[in-house]
Amino acid sequence: MSEPSDTSELEERAAKLFSGRVEFLLSAPELKFLPEPTVPEIAFCGRSNVGKSSLLNALTGRRAIARTSVTPGRTQELNFFEVGDPTLFRLVDMPGYGFAKAPVKVVERWRQLVRTYLKGRQVLHRTLVLIDSRHGLKDVDREMMKMLDQTAVGYRLVLTKADKIKASELAAVREATATEARKHPAAHPTLHVTSSEKGMGIAELRAAVLEDARV
């Protein structure tokens, strides 16, 4: 398939694609329930309550393609969504990490599921690591980044809820995050700044997802 000539063309193509078929496929509580690895996958991960479901809804232009919850840690499975007709790629909503209100054994099972998926999924083209702009990188985020570095899974850092803090504070968080990202070999050089509520950075992130899926 030919490459779009510029960023605006890629953004237009991504917007058109996401305005079409985007459907929930399945939830996988264990690896044996994963769908057949027939198309590229783009995974989304982040701390509980980072705004992952809201971002997925904003990207796809749906109100509730991914469920949002006031209870952190509600997503306990790998949730797959198909994009395109026929399916061109899948979005994967991964379990939130940190602050999960669940028994230790359950949390460890989630971690093992995520870790094994990241290491062994050949069709995983990119992971998006979501960071709350109000808090910046936390140790649990650094642990995820280190895991991705070790598994050689390329990832993008995405700041969420950028509308919730002052511009000066956002600039500081952005610079600190970008500086730290440069220390990680698997981190993509582009840092995305988004607001699901205001639509900030959504078009650019859609284009990046399409680019990463390479379809």
Side-chain angles (χ1 to χ4, degrees), residues 139-158:
D139 286 343
V140 286
D141 300 314
R142 296 183 180 95
E143 289 174 13
M144 174 58 71
M145 293 165 69
K146 184 177 179 181
M147 182 191 302
L148 290 166
D149 289 337
Q150 292 171 344
T151 56
V153 175
Y155 58 94
R156 294 177 183 269
L157 294 180
V158 181

Side-chain angles (χ1 to χ4, degrees), residues 38 43 68 162 170:
T38 53
T68 57
L170 178 60

Side-chain angles (χ1 to χ4, degrees), residues 3 22 26 91 104 116 170 179 209:
E3 292 290 331
V22 181
L26 58 82
L91 305 178
V104 175
T116 308
L170 178 60
T179 298
V209 168

